Amino acid sequence: MIKFLDLQAINQQYAHELKQAAAEVIDSGWYLLGGRVKQFEANLASYCDTKHAIGVANGLDALRLILKAYIELGIMNEGDEVIVPANTYIASILAITDNRLKPVFVEPDINSFNLDITKIEKAITPKTKAIMVVHLYGQVCWSFDLENLAKKYNLKIIEDNAQAIGAIWNGKKTGSLGDAAGFSFYPGKNLGALGDSGAVTTNDETLADIIRALANYGSRIKYQNEFQGLNSRLDEIQAAFLDIKLKYIDQENQKRRWVANQYLSGINNREIQLPKISGDNSLVTVDHVWHLFVIKTSNRSKLHEYLNGKGIQTLIHYPIPPNKQNAYKEFANLELPITDEIHESVLSLPISSVITKDEIVKVIEVINQYA
Ligand SMILES: *Cc1c(COP(=O)(O)O)cnc(C)c1O
């Protein structure tokens, strides 16, 4: 079986260093808010070229805390609107609704799967306070038009960078493009911890300060609570693991690009639509770190079963859009045909830093024989 993602093999590459770091944390007797978190935060900020990075418990919390901090700052209020792509992972939406803000779903571009920036302006109302862009599947969602729109309407841009650490737009890393960004280090992400964790990056010192307090019970000084915060801290042991894996993230992403290029040049079947990199014809490079390699096909279940029968594991990202989830019945009547089409036709092929050349060749061969 060619696994969709072999986490064991990915972490085996760094097992020696990871085990040594775990031993050091165990022996240190210090497990939260210590030197390893500080060091990882400094290295992540430097990697993304932002002034601040704050380690938190997971990617959902990273996004929740950014919005919560804007509410504490009086920049957003209950009922305000946040524009968000309709085809994102549920966490982007939960972060908004958990703060009693309203998600305004905007359709993605059918080819890039990313938020269609040309459709944002029509969705802006006097209540709009932010645009949450999601660098979906690892592809940067950004443009000068987006920057101009945010300036024109005085909107914050929040990056959901859970899937795209290391991607670059016009010389700048994701996580440094917007006003603030949320990262996930869920084990299956390009930079994966060995458990849950996440981070926020920003150049805004006031925001960083509040997020740091909010993530620690709303407290800056022990037993003094300035805000109604959360407990959302990054563990020392996960920070130690992440600091090791951060050294290799460019190498990991490079391998993913190589795999993607093999698929892009090798797969040739009229039943399959390959992913497109948007901005191919613009002056600015739109980078992709291939968190997922997502193809489209008209009869997905047939292809899925065919590949499974040939020993190739594929997954669907995602089978049901947020507005069709039982959790969000209030959005069930929205008409989002492009989002629907994407959710009905996408299939994710195996991609990772440990997939072998032989496995890639087999995937390509088997797909090209599909009819
Ligand atoms: C993984 C993911 C998140 C949430 O991250 P967790 O660490 O699982 O909480 C948010 N947004 C997107 C797009 C994701 O892929």
Side-chain angles (χ1 to χ4, degrees):
M1 189 75 177
I2 300 176
K3 283 193 194 167
F4 177 74
L5 182 68
D6 188 343
L7 283 180
Q8 198 272 341
I10 288 174
N11 287 315
Q12 202 53 45
Q13 302 175 97
Y14 315 115
H16 179 70
E17 278 184 85
L18 295 172
K19 285 175 186 171
Q20 194 179 329
E24 282 169 19
V25 173
I26 291 165
D27 291 343
S28 76
W30 195 279
Y31 308 116
L32 282 169
L33 302 179
R36 284 170 180 84
V37 168
K38 268 212 186 82
Q39 192 185 323
F40 172 64
E41 287 175 342
N43 288 335
L44 180 66
S46 142
Y47 179 79
C48 297
D49 196 20
T50 58
K51 291 201 185 109
H52 308 277
I54 304 117
V56 298
N58 55 65
L60 169 59
D61 278 3
L63 298 169
R64 276 169 85 197
L65 284 159
I66 291 167
L67 293 166
K68 199 170 170 62
Y70 279 129
I71 291 171
E72 292 295 349
L73 281 166
I75 290 170
M76 293 179 196
N77 290 293
E78 192 173 324
D80 281 344
E81 295 173 2
V82 178
I83 287 171
V84 65
N87 62 322
T88 185
Y89 179 57
I90 197 77
S92 325
I93 311 302
L94 287 169
I96 297 169
T97 57
D98 185 67
N99 280 294
R100 298 173 187 275
L101 300 165
K102 188 182 166 213
V104 174
F105 298 98
V106 170
E107 288 258 68
D109 177 275
I110 188 79
N111 292 312
S112 73
F113 304 112
N114 269 336
L115 183 59
D116 186 340
I117 289 165
T118 66
K119 290 186 180 148
I120 294 177
E121 193 159 18
K122 267 192 298 185
I124 294 174
T125 76
K127 283 196 162 281
T128 310
K129 294 291 160 64
I131 302 166
M132 185 183 286
V133 295
V134 182
H135 307 302
L136 200 68
Y137 307 151
Q139 177 165 210
V140 183
C141 177
W142 202 262
S143 72
F144 291 118
D145 287 347
L146 176 71
E147 290 179 351
N148 292 334
L149 212 55
K151 270 196 209 104
K152 181 171 166 192
Y153 293 96
N154 192 27
L155 306 176
K156 298 290 180 195
I157 308 183
I158 298 161
E159 300 174 71
D160 180 338
N161 196 29
Q163 301 189 358
I165 185 168
I168 296 169
W169 181 86
N170 200 23
K172 294 182 207 158
K173 290 247 173 67
T174 54
S176 72
L177 295 163
D179 294 284
F183 291 65
S184 166
F185 308 120
Y186 175 79
K189 298 287 158 75
N190 287 28
L191 176 60
L194 280 68
D196 272 320
S197 49
V200 173
T201 55
T202 182
N203 287 317
D204 182 337
E205 181 158 7
T206 315
L207 189 78
D209 229 40
I210 293 181
I211 290 172
R212 201 176 281 289
L214 282 173
N216 189 28
Y217 293 109
S219 170
R220 287 187 176 113
I221 300 166
K222 204 166 185 179
Y223 303 129
Q224 292 185 27
N225 303 88
E226 262 176 83
F227 313 105
Q228 295 177 17
L230 318 171
N231 175 356
S232 184
R233 298 178 295 225
L234 171 61
D235 294 339
E236 284 284 288
I237 198 158
Q238 296 302 342
F241 292 152
L242 287 166
D243 213 31
I244 290 163
K245 293 184 75 178
L246 181 62
K247 292 186 292 182
Y248 303 104
I249 186 63
D250 286 341
Q251 200 174 302
E252 289 266 327
N253 284 341
Q254 203 44 43
K255 176 78 192 284
R256 284 171 180 273
R257 287 193 190 95
W258 176 78
V259 177
N261 284 330
Q262 302 288 308
Y263 282 157
L264 288 170
S265 58
I267 297 173
N268 178 11
N269 183 327
R270 279 188 311 152
E271 298 298 319
I272 311 291
Q273 287 150 277
L274 292 166
K276 290 201 180 76
I277 301 183
S278 62
D280 274 344
N281 40 22
S282 93
L283 296 171
V284 170
T285 50
V286 178
D287 199 14
H288 206 318
V289 292
W290 300 102
H291 173 57
L292 297 169
F293 190 94
V294 177
I295 60 171
K296 289 198 298 262
T297 188
S298 56
N299 192 341
R300 176 177 57 197
S301 53
K302 183 178 153 201
L303 177 63
H304 181 78
E305 272 159 42
Y306 166 81
L307 291 173
N308 196 48
K310 300 273 183 188
I312 297 165
Q313 188 190 15
T314 55
L315 296 178
I316 299 167
H317 299 90
Y318 299 93
I320 306 168
N323 67 297
K324 296 273 174 70
Q325 298 285 358
N326 282 334
Y328 286 118
K329 291 199 182 78
E330 65 268 41
F331 302 119
N333 294 324
L334 293 179
E335 292 227 7
L336 299 161
I338 297 169
T339 298
D340 290 341
E341 188 185 332
I342 286 174
H343 285 77
E344 280 156 24
S345 60
V346 289
L347 192 66
S348 307
L349 301 185
I351 190 165
S352 75
S353 60
V354 294
I355 189 169
T356 66
K357 174 86 187 170
D358 286 351
E359 289 174 324
I360 297 165
V361 167
K362 177 166 175 206
V363 173
I364 293 170
E365 225 172 69
V366 168
I367 290 184
N368 285 345
Q369 284 160 7
Y370 172 74

